Amino acid sequence: MSLAQRLHTLMRWRGIKSQNQLARISGVPQSCIHRILTREDRYSPSRATLLRLARALDTSVPWLTDGVAPCAAAAATGGACHPDDASDGYCAEIRALLRQQPESTKKTVLLAVRLMLQGAAAPQASRETPVNAGSS
């Protein structure tokens, strides 16, 4: 589901019938709302715009942009919402997805994440290391 689809769905759920009505509620210009709804992924609104829309629609920016609900995923699996999750919906979703997995799967996922992060850091580290560092 795209940002435009989530925005349109939330408007329907909240009983907001027009772009003008959402503009009045959120303080976001109607033209900006129109761009979001019609240009799909070719238009990227500013963080401030997303915050205003999320506040007006009683949701979070991570859900609006990526479909990640900070505490809903944890609640759906019977888990608790952690204080850090309010600002980072990605961690909440990962936690909720892994909660029901066996210990071996959790270890495999952790190992994969560590390897990805090491791989992301490796190019920069290799640039800092002199080419002939080992030869004397």
Side-chain angles (χ1 to χ4, degrees):
M1 194 184 274
S2 68
L3 168 61
Q5 291 167 322
R6 281 188 290 279
L7 183 58
H8 190 262
T9 299
L10 277 175
M11 288 173 66
R12 277 194 323 231
W13 286 352
R14 304 287 186 248
I16 298 171
K17 296 179 179 12
S18 69
Q19 295 173 19
N20 283 326
Q21 186 180 3
L22 179 57
R24 283 191 302 275
I25 294 168
S26 66
V28 173
Q30 180 274 329
S31 59
C32 184
I33 294 168
H34 177 76
R35 272 183 251 139
I36 294 169
L37 290 172
T38 59
R39 294 189 184 168
E40 294 285 321
D41 294 329
R42 293 184 308 274
Y43 174 71
S44 182
S46 70
R47 178 96 175 138
T49 295
L50 292 170
L51 284 168
R52 284 189 211 132
L53 289 171
R55 211 173 297 126
L57 295 166
D58 194 28
T59 191
S60 66
V61 171
W63 189 86
L64 195 57
T65 58
D66 300 314
V68 177
C71 291
T77 58
C81 182
H82 297 275
D84 293 341
D85 293 347
S87 63
D88 190 353
Y90 301 103
C91 291
E93 184 173 7
I94 290 168
R95 187 177 292 114
L97 291 170
L98 289 176
R99 186 171 286 113
Q100 302 298 323
Q101 299 301 316
E103 200 65 29
S104 60
T105 300
K106 292 176 185 178
K107 288 180 181 180
T108 302
V109 169
L110 180 60
L111 178 61
V113 169
R114 285 180 179 156
L115 288 171
M116 286 188 294
L117 293 175
Q118 286 174 356
Q124 184 160 347
S126 66
R127 276 186 251 132
E128 295 171 1
T129 305
V131 175
N132 297 325
S135 56
S136 318

